[in-house]
Amino acid sequence: TRLIGPIYAAGHRMMVPAILAVFLVHNWFAGVALFAWADQNYNDRGQYFIEQTKQGDLIVMGTDWPFEHYMRYTTQAETILAATYPDAVGASIAAALDRNGQVFVTDDAVDWLAEQEGSSDPEQIISTLSQRHGSIERIDLGQGAYALRFSN
């Protein structure tokens, strides 16, 4: 009543249902719908990570923040979005490897890293990552998507 009382007292009774409607619509599009839209294929694309990651692992993604949120809530792994935290990617990878975790770098992260290096060749970034962190396994995630996995 502390929130609704002043609205009713001011004679704006229709504001309460309007606020509730805006709240419900916002939460649908900003939360639930991100994971409910079938065309995003997050479940298919993320199934490997859901099944194969454990606490202490790291998933590095490029710019796909809805997928990063989905992975954060459906896997035990730590996630990082390279476009949002570019300076933290190297330290996060090193920390995951120091704790004997696996590191997964998604294809959009490889593309983003290549773009930051001024290259259009993702293989150059893969080679650089391999030199820094050892052998890398390429994992097919389906529908043209892939991830790189490396560990100690």
Side-chain angles (χ1 to χ4, degrees), residues 31-94:
V32 176
L34 289 175
F35 303 123
W37 290 330
D39 63 331
Q40 294 292 331
N41 293 317
Y42 290 148
N43 192 41
D44 292 342
R45 188 169 151 208
Q47 192 62 38
Y48 178 86
F49 300 120
I50 293 167
E51 293 172 357
Q52 299 296 321
T53 58
K54 62 188 181 317
Q55 193 167 358
D57 291 347
L58 172 69
I59 306 170
V60 180
M61 287 160 266
T63 59
D64 191 352
W65 65 267
F67 185 57
E68 187 269 336
H69 284 265
Y70 183 72
M71 289 291 90
R72 185 183 322 156
Y73 294 115
T74 58
T75 69
Q76 295 181 38
E78 178 184 338
T79 62
I80 187 167
L81 197 62
T84 304
Y85 303 104
D87 297 333
V89 172
S92 295
I93 290 173

Side-chain angles (χ1 to χ4, degrees), residues 100-111:
N100 293 320
Q102 301 178 95
V103 175
F104 299 89
V105 180
T106 63
D107 54 343
D108 77 313
V110 171
D111 292 341

Side-chain angles (χ1 to χ4, degrees), residues 103-126:
V103 175
F104 299 89
V105 180
T106 63
D107 54 343
D108 77 313
V110 171
D111 292 341
W112 186 86
L113 291 166
E115 184 179 303
Q116 299 309 300
E117 296 289 323
S119 171
S120 61
D121 183 16
E123 294 302 321
Q124 207 170 23
I125 293 299
I126 294 170

Side-chain angles (χ1 to χ4, degrees), residues 121-134 136 148:
D121 183 16
E123 294 302 321
Q124 207 170 23
I125 293 299
I126 294 170
S127 174
T128 301
L129 287 170
S130 180
Q131 289 171 3
R132 287 184 192 159
H133 304 292
I136 293 180
L148 306 174

